[in-house]
Amino acid sequence: RRHTSSGCGWSSAVCSSGPMLAVAVIALGGGGVWFAMRSNATAAAGGAAQEAAPRAAPAYYKFDPAFVVNFGGEGSARYLQVGLEAMSRDPAILETLKNNEPAVRNDLILLYSGQNDSTLMTTDGKEKLRAATLAAIRNTLNQAGADGKLIEQVYFTSFVIQ
């Protein structure tokens, strides 16, 4: 450091560039803030665009014929007929479901024949059976090496107890 008459404490070359240096630092800092904000805004807009992207339309697989099982103990034999459709947004999993329908039907017949009429008469009981049906289908597809979670929902299209 040299002592100069400008009172800067540095050489005259450094002291004379002080205002320019300050402007450059401010410009670079402001540019960095602008770039960071622009990057965040672009990322947020990209995320919103991904969220707004339309989902694939649902596709359905109808189990045909409907399931017909007897259930209940001796002396109280009853019949249950269930029309059923599975929903997915992935056509490939519906094809896998079709190819594995015999195994799925077997598991569902066992599930349905193990029910009792007092449970099936309530809305809550039907909802629990619907959830168990979805779980059984997903389990069978998982065992076949597919991703059973791609079956999003199952719907009873008819439900008759006799």
Side-chain angles (χ1 to χ4, degrees):
R1 264 174 83 167
R2 284 186 270 168
H3 184 63
T4 61
S5 60
S6 67
C8 162
W10 297 97
S11 71
S12 62
V14 172
C15 289
S16 64
S17 65
M20 273 179 91
L21 184 61
V23 169
V25 167
I26 291 171
L28 286 173
V33 169
W34 174 83
F35 181 77
M37 291 179 73
R38 182 175 163 263
S39 296
N40 287 341
T42 303
Q50 287 178 351
E51 288 175 17
R55 293 173 55 183
Y60 298 89
Y61 179 78
K62 181 178 182 176
F63 288 89
D64 192 30
F67 293 87
V68 179
V69 298
N70 55 340
F71 67 99
E74 285 186 37
S76 66
R78 310 245 355 226
Y79 296 95
L80 172 65
Q81 178 183 350
V82 176
L84 183 68
E85 293 195 32
M87 189 274 284
S88 178
R89 297 176 196 281
D90 183 345
I93 195 69
L94 293 178
E95 188 64 29
T96 303
L97 178 59
K98 178 182 175 184
N99 293 335
N100 289 277
E101 185 174 349
V104 171
R105 288 185 80 83
N106 176 72
D107 292 349
L108 294 180
I109 287 170
L110 294 175
L111 173 67
Y112 297 156
S113 64
Q115 301 302 306
N116 64 57
D117 59 338
S118 63
T119 302
L120 296 178
M121 292 299 195
T122 66
T123 302
D124 187 48
K126 289 179 181 99
E127 282 298 321
K128 286 180 181 175
L129 182 60
R130 193 168 71 88
T133 298
L134 178 59
I137 291 171
R138 286 176 170 172
N139 184 49
T140 302
L141 291 174
N142 288 339
Q143 288 176 359
D147 185 2
K149 287 184 284 187
L150 293 174
I151 300 294
E152 296 177 35
Q153 208 49 262
V154 292
Y155 299 102
F156 293 140
T157 55
S158 69
F159 197 95
V160 179
I161 298 174
Q162 200 170 349

